[in-house]
Amino acid sequence: VQLQASGGGLVQTGGSLRLSCGASGRTFSTYRMGWFRQAPGKEREFVAGISGDGSITYYSDSVKGRFTISRDNAKNTVYLQMNSLKPEDTAVYYCAATMGARWSQDGMDYWGKGTQVTVSS
């Protein structure tokens, strides 16, 4: 599976962005998809995840209520809608795919290249 994230950019505090991650292959719906982020000097952290059919979502406490993950299996794409952005959301955002059960770096099978999100104060 090859993943390509896009949609990052510069936004002011309180603004919104939508990230997209397109995937290759015909088995996209069998993968649980996740978004992670890594800020400068910090470890990569889990942000949000979604089940293969899109019926179950998972969020870190830091983004719950502000971010929404969704997927369109017909388009082989997963999205991350980010609202009420804060400066502490500034990071490189990565999408990842797994057939496993753990939302951790070593639990993901495939990674896309990241997309930079910068939130100005």
Side-chain angles (χ1 to χ4, degrees), residues 3-40:
L3 305 172
Q4 180 64 55
S6 62
L10 174 64
V11 64
Q12 291 186 332
T13 296
S16 298
L17 280 175
R18 188 175 83 153
L19 305 183
S20 300
C21 176
S24 65
R26 292 176 287 182
T27 59
F28 178 69
S29 63
T30 65
Y31 287 92
R32 287 152 48 103
M33 298 298 297
W35 287 96
F36 290 72
R37 67 186 182 187
Q38 187 166 19

Side-chain angles (χ1 to χ4, degrees), residues 21 23 27-34 49-57 68-80 97-98 103:
C21 176
T27 59
F28 178 69
S29 63
T30 65
Y31 287 92
R32 287 152 48 103
M33 298 298 297
I50 190 167
S51 62
D53 65 359
S55 63
I56 305 172
T57 56
T68 303
I69 188 171
S70 62
R71 66 190 297 160
D72 185 338
N73 286 343
K75 295 182 179 180
N76 278 17
T77 302
V78 61
Y79 305 97
L80 185 68
T98 183
W103 295 114

Side-chain angles (χ1 to χ4, degrees), residues 1-2 5 14 24 27 47-49 59 69 71 77 82 84 94 97 117 119:
V1 176
Q2 292 185 320
S24 65
T27 59
V47 174
Y59 297 95
I69 188 171
R71 66 190 297 160
T77 302
M82 305 186 294
S84 302
Y94 299 88
V117 171
V119 185

Side-chain angles (χ1 to χ4, degrees), residues 19 34-40 42-48 60-64 66-67 80 82 85-95 105 111 114-115 117 119:
L19 305 183
W35 287 96
F36 290 72
R37 67 186 182 187
Q38 187 166 19
K42 295 188 177 181
E43 291 190 356
R44 193 172 298 186
E45 64 174 357
F46 170 75
V47 174
S60 68
D61 288 343
S62 60
V63 307
K64 198 173 295 182
R66 300 188 298 122
F67 290 11
L80 185 68
M82 305 186 294
L85 283 161
K86 306 175 182 179
E88 51 264 44
D89 294 317
T90 295
V92 177
Y93 283 71
Y94 299 88
C95 62
Q105 276 199 70
W111 290 89
T115 184
V117 171
V119 185

Side-chain angles (χ1 to χ4, degrees), residues 96-112:
T98 183
M99 299 193 78
R102 292 183 296 120
W103 295 114
S104 61
Q105 276 199 70
D106 58 2
M108 308 308 288
D109 300 316
Y110 302 97
W111 290 89

